Amino acid sequence: MAEQSSEQFDLVVIGGGPAGYVGAIRAAQLGMKVACVERGQLGGVCLNWGCIPTKTLLASAEFYHRLKHDAAGLGIETSEVKHNWDRIISRSRGVAGNLNRGIAGLFKKHKITHVSGSARIAAPGKVEVLKVVPGSESSWDPKLASAAAKGAGLERTLLCKNIMIATGAIARTLPGVEYDGERVLHARDAMSLKEQPRSLIIIGGGAIGVEFAYFYNAFGTKVTIIEMIDRLLPIEDAEVSKALEKSYKAAGIEVRTGMKTMSVKKSATGVEVAIAPATQPGQPAPSAATAGETLSADKVLVAIGVKGNYEGLFDAKLGIEIFKDHIKATRPAYQTSVKGIYAVGDVNGPPWLAHVASDEAIVCVEQLAGLHPHPIDYDSIPGCTYCQPQVASVGHTEAKCKELGLAYKVGKFPFMASGKAQALGHTEGFIKIISDDKHGEILGVHMIGDNVTELIAEMVLAKSSELTVDEVIAAMHAHPTLSEAVHEAALGTRGRMIHF
C-alpha cells in the first residue's frame, strides 16, 4: 500500500506510557519537534491498567477494611458496612480516565504530535504507522500484541533523527494455559471483573500477586496464593517476606510457597490448578514420590512476571539485539545495537518500575539534546508494593550483604513502639536499616507497615546522596510522626535506640 503521508521530526517516541510520554514532554521542553505513537491510550499500561487503577482499587479495599475491622477500636460506631462492586470498579476506571485526558492536555500544551496507531520501525530514522487491529490496544495480552504488529495497512510514515522505543512489557504466560479473561485471567482482567468471585487462586507471589490478593481478600473473596519460591515477594528482604506472609495468613489468605503450578484446567464450575513442590535453590529436588494436589476456585489469576513488548515492532534484519526477552540497551545512553534507536523502560529489562522508566527516558532525551544528566543510580532505586501492610525498600537485602561479604550492622524499629502508629491504629510492621559496620554507609533499607511507600523517599535521598546513618540521626525528625521510626532504626545501627 502506498504511503499516505511523510513527516519529519527530531524524535519519534514509540509508546505513550511512563517512559514514552515523559520522554516526549522532556524532549519538547528542550526544543525538539516530537511525535509519540501509541496504539492504545496515553499513559500506557501503568496509568490505564496498572499502577494507578490498582492503587485506586486498593484505596477502596483499605477504607472498607478499616470500617469493618478497625472502626470500633477507634471509637467509631457503624451500622452494617457494605460494598458496591460496580462502583469500586467504575471509580478505578474513572481515575485512570482523568489522568489519561491530562496527558493529552500536556501533549497539546507542549505541541507534541500524538499519533494513534501501531508503530513499526522500517529503518533507522523511519517509523511506519499502521492501523490498530481492533482489540489489540491491550499490551498485557501477547496474542493481541502480535496481532497489532500485523496491522491493517500503512497510514503514515514518520521520518526522524532519532527513535526512542518505550513500549513497556507484556505479561508472561504459563505454557499450555488458555486465557479467556473470565476464568483464567491476566492482571488487566482482574481489575475490571463485572462480578466479584467467591474464590480466587493467584499464581505468583510477587508485587502484582500480593496486591490483588489483598484487594480481593478485603472484600471477602477466598484467596490462595501459589508461589514457586519459598516466600512471598522473593526480591525483598527475608524478614519482610516472613512478616507479610504472617499478616496474610492472619487475614485469611492461604499462602502456598515453594509450590510449582503443574497445570490449569477449566472445570464445570470454575478452574482446577494442579500444584507440586518446587525445587528450591541449594536444596535437593523433591522425590518423584512427593505427592502433588489440586486446588479449585472460581477463577485463577496468572501473575508470574513480564517480558519486553516488542513483538512485530521491527524486522529481524534491522539488527536490534534482543537479550533475555528484552531489547538490549547500553547504559547510560540507552542506545540499542542500531545507531539512532534507543530503548527505555520495561522494554529494556528489569527493574520493571514506572519511576525507573520515566527517569531513563529523561536521561536518554537530555543526552540527545547535548546535556550531561546525572546517570541513574541503579543501587538506589526504591521498590514499593501497595498491599496492606505496605512494603518498601532500597538497596541491598541482608542476604545480599552476606553474599558480598560486607561487614554490616542492623537497626530495626517496630511500629508497635511508635506513638504515631499507635495513635493511627497501625502498629503492624517495622523499619530495618542495614549500614556499613565501620563508616555507617547506608547499604539497604527495608520497611513493612502502613504508609511506608511514602516513608522510603527519605532513605532513597539519603542513600543516593551518600549520607551515613549518623547524618540521618543528626537530621531532626518531627514528633509525633511515622518518620520517627526511620530515625530510631538509624539510631539502632549505632546501638543508641531510645524507644525500643
Side-chain angles (χ1 to χ4, degrees), residues 14-15 19 139 165-170 307-310 326 344-348:
I14 302 176
S139 60
I165 301 171
T167 46
I170 54 176
K307 62 181 181 178
N309 180 21
Y310 53 83
H326 294 87
V344 295
D346 289 0
V347 74
N348 75 19

Side-chain angles (χ1 to χ4, degrees), residues 142-153:
K143 291 182 179 179
L144 291 178
S146 179
K150 298 176 182 177

Side-chain angles (χ1 to χ4, degrees), residues 393-418:
S393 63
V394 63
H396 293 331
T397 63
E398 193 169 354
K400 186 64 174 180
C401 289
K402 291 177 180 177
E403 178 187 327
L404 295 173
L406 302 177
Y408 64 89
K409 289 183 178 179
V410 172
K412 181 179 169 185
F413 186 80
F415 281 114
M416 60 180 254
S418 161

Side-chain angles (χ1 to χ4, degrees), residues 307-325:
K307 62 181 181 178
N309 180 21
Y310 53 83
E311 182 72 33
L313 180 61
F314 42 79
D315 192 290
K317 296 178 182 177
L318 192 59
I320 294 181
E321 185 178 350
I322 303 299
F323 179 73
K324 293 185 177 180
D325 291 330

Side-chain angles (χ1 to χ4, degrees), residues 8-13 20-21 23-36 107 110-115 164 365:
Q8 182 73 48
F9 295 90
D10 295 313
L11 177 67
V12 170
V13 179
Y21 83 78
I25 290 172
R26 183 63 182 129
Q29 289 175 340
L30 293 169
M32 298 184 199
K33 184 180 179 182
V34 184
C36 180
F107 271 25
H110 292 287
K111 298 180 181 179
I112 297 167
T113 302
H114 172 208
V115 181
M164 188 170 75
V365 164

Side-chain angles (χ1 to χ4, degrees), residues 53-371:
T54 55
K55 304 315 166 277
T56 308
L57 295 175
L58 288 167
S60 295
E62 291 167 20
F63 189 68
Y64 179 75
H65 183 273
R66 293 221 79 184
L67 287 175
K68 290 273 288 184
H69 301 282
D70 299 339
L74 293 170
I76 308 298
E77 296 182 2
T78 61
S79 57
E80 184 180 3
V81 179
K82 299 180 180 179
H83 69 278
N84 185 310
W85 187 259
D86 288 341
R87 290 183 183 177
I88 290 168
I89 300 301
S90 64
R91 177 176 180 269
S92 171
R93 303 312 316 143
V95 170
N98 288 339
L99 292 173
N100 170 269
R101 288 186 290 274
I103 295 174
L106 290 171
F107 271 25
K108 184 176 180 180
K109 173 186 176 182
H110 292 287
K111 298 180 181 179
I112 297 167
T113 302
H114 172 208
V115 181
S116 181
S118 183
R120 182 174 63 200
I121 302 174
K126 183 178 181 180
V127 176
E128 297 176 339
V129 181
L130 311 173
K131 293 180 181 179
V132 179
V133 174
S136 68
E137 296 87 354
S138 169
S139 60
W140 277 101
D141 190 325
K143 291 182 179 179
L144 291 178
S146 179
K150 298 176 182 177
L154 182 65
E155 287 196 315
R156 59 201 291 187
T157 298
L158 310 178
L159 304 177
C160 56
K161 296 177 182 177
N162 294 293
I163 298 169
M164 188 170 75
I165 301 171
T167 46
I170 54 176
R172 290 191 181 276
T173 59
L174 279 174
V177 176
E178 182 181 346
Y179 299 82
D180 60 10
E182 296 181 1
R183 284 188 281 178
V184 184
L185 315 173
H186 286 305
R188 175 168 175 160
D189 307 317
M191 69 181 67
S192 56
L193 291 177
K194 293 181 180 179
E195 295 183 2
Q196 180 186 350
R198 292 168 300 175
S199 56
L200 175 69
I201 294 172
I202 299 176
I203 302 175
I208 294 174
V210 300
E211 287 184 0
F212 275 113
Y214 174 80
F215 170 72
Y216 278 99
N217 176 73
F219 291 113
T221 296
K222 183 183 183 300
V223 177
T224 301
I225 303 175
I226 302 168
E227 169 56 48
M228 187 166 64
I229 305 301
D230 60 0
R231 57 192 177 93
L232 295 177
L233 298 179
I235 66 171
E236 297 292 347
D237 190 81
E239 281 194 277
V240 169
S241 295
K242 183 178 179 180
L244 183 64
E245 183 172 340
K246 181 180 179 181
S247 176
Y248 269 29
K249 288 181 176 179
I253 298 173
E254 185 176 357
V255 179
R256 305 299 302 274
T257 55
M259 302 298 288
K260 183 178 181 180
T261 300
M262 307 306 292
S263 66
V264 175
K265 297 179 180 179
K266 298 177 186 178
S267 65
T269 57
V271 292
E272 293 183 348
V273 179
I275 62 175
T279 301
Q280 299 302 318
Q283 298 180 3
S287 67
T290 303
E293 57 184 302
T294 299
L295 308 177
S296 299
D298 290 344
K299 302 179 188 295
V300 60
L301 164 63
V302 180
I304 57 172
V306 297
K307 62 181 181 178
N309 180 21
Y310 53 83
E311 182 72 33
L313 180 61
F314 42 79
D315 192 290
K317 296 178 182 177
L318 192 59
I320 294 181
E321 185 178 350
I322 303 299
F323 179 73
K324 293 185 177 180
D325 291 330
H326 294 87
I327 295 175
K328 185 176 180 180
T330 303
R331 300 169 183 168
Y334 305 101
Q335 170 82 55
T336 69
S337 54
V338 178
K339 187 177 180 180
I341 301 178
Y342 303 82
V344 295
D346 289 0
V347 74
N348 75 19
W352 302 285
L353 299 168
H355 41 284
V356 175
S358 295
D359 277 15
E360 287 184 348
I362 289 172
V363 170
C364 178
V365 164
E366 289 185 349
Q367 289 182 108
L368 289 177
L371 303 180

